[in-house]
C-alpha cells in the first residue's frame, strides 16, 4: 500500500515543498492551481485506466527499463530513459495548442529525467509492477499544477524559464532523484531483479 501512496502523492508533496520554499525565500506564496483535489484524484484514477500514460508505461518501464538496466544498471537506465522520455515529448513544445508550447524544454528535460529516476525506484520496489508507475505518471499529469510551474510569457522552448517555481521544482525533484540513485547503488539486487524481468 505504501508504494501506491507514494505513486499518488509524490508530485503533490514535491509541489507543496516547493510552495513552502518559495514562501520562505520570497515572503509570499506562489500561485496555486484552481482545480479541486477530488477532481485531480478522480482524473488520476480515471486516466490510469484509460489514459495515454498507461500505454506509455508499457513501453517505458515495461519494455525499455529492464533492457536498459541489464546493460547500464538501474540508475543509469533510469537517467537515460528520462532523457529519451523528454525527447519523446519535444514536438509538443512547438504545437501552439499544447500546454507546453513555448515553455522551457531544458528545464522539462531535467524535470522528466528526475521523475524517471523516481519511477524506476518505484518500479523496482514493486517487483516490476506497471500499475504503480502508471498511477504515478497519471498523478504527475493531473496534479502538477497544484502549484503551476509554467511561465505564462514563455515563447522560446530552448530558453531557460523565468519561473522560480519551475526552478524550485527541478531542484526538489533532483534532490529526490539523487537520493533514489544512491539507494539503487546500495541495493544492487534491485538492478538484478529489474534486469532479470526481461
Amino acid at each position: 500500500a505504501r508504494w501506491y501512496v507514494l505513486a499518488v502523492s509524490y508530485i503533490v508533496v514535491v509541489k507543496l515543498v516547493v510552495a513552502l520554499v518559495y514562501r520562505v525565500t520570497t515572503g509570499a506564496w506562489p500561485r496555486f492551481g484552481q482545480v479541486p483535489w477530488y477532481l485531480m484524484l478522480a482524473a488520476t484514477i480515471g486516466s490510469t485506466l484509460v489514459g495515454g500514460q498507461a500505454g506509455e508505461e508499457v513501453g517505458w518501464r515495461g519494455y525499455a527499463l529492464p533492457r536498459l538496466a541489464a546493460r547500464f544498471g538501474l540508475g543509469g537506465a533510469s537517467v537515460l530513459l528520462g532523457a529519451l522520455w523528454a525527447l519523446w515529448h519535444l514536438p509538443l513544445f512547438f504545437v501552439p495548442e499544447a500546454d507546453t508550447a513555448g515553455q522551457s524544454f531544458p528545464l522539462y528535460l531535467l524535470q522528466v529525467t528526475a521523475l524517471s529516476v523516481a519511477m524506476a525506484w518505484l518500479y523496482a520496489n514493486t517487483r516490476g509492477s506497471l500499475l504503480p508507475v502508471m498511477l504515478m505518471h497519471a498523478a504527475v499529469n493531473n496534479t502538477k499544477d497544484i502549484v503551476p510551474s509554467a511561465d505564462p510569457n514563455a515563447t522560446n522552448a530552448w530558453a531557460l524559464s523565468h519561473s522560480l517555481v519551475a526552478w524550485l521544482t527541478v531542484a526538489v525533484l533532483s534532490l529526490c532523484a539523487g537520493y533514489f540513485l544512491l539507494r539503487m547503488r546500495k541495493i544492487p539486487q534491485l538492478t538484478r531483479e529489474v534486469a532479470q524481468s526481461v
Side-chain angles (χ1 to χ4, degrees), residues 46-83:
S47 62
T48 298
L49 302 174
V50 297
Q53 66 276 338
E56 276 191 61
E57 288 310 323
V58 169
W60 295 131
R61 256 55 63 171
Y63 180 83
L65 182 62
R67 286 157 179 81
L68 290 171
R71 185 164 185 179
F72 301 107
L74 184 58
S78 65
V79 171
L80 177 58
L81 192 58

Side-chain angles (χ1 to χ4, degrees), residues 45 57-58 72 94 114 117 123 130 148:
I45 293 168
E57 288 310 323
V58 169
F72 301 107
F94 301 95
V117 172
Y123 178 83
L130 285 179

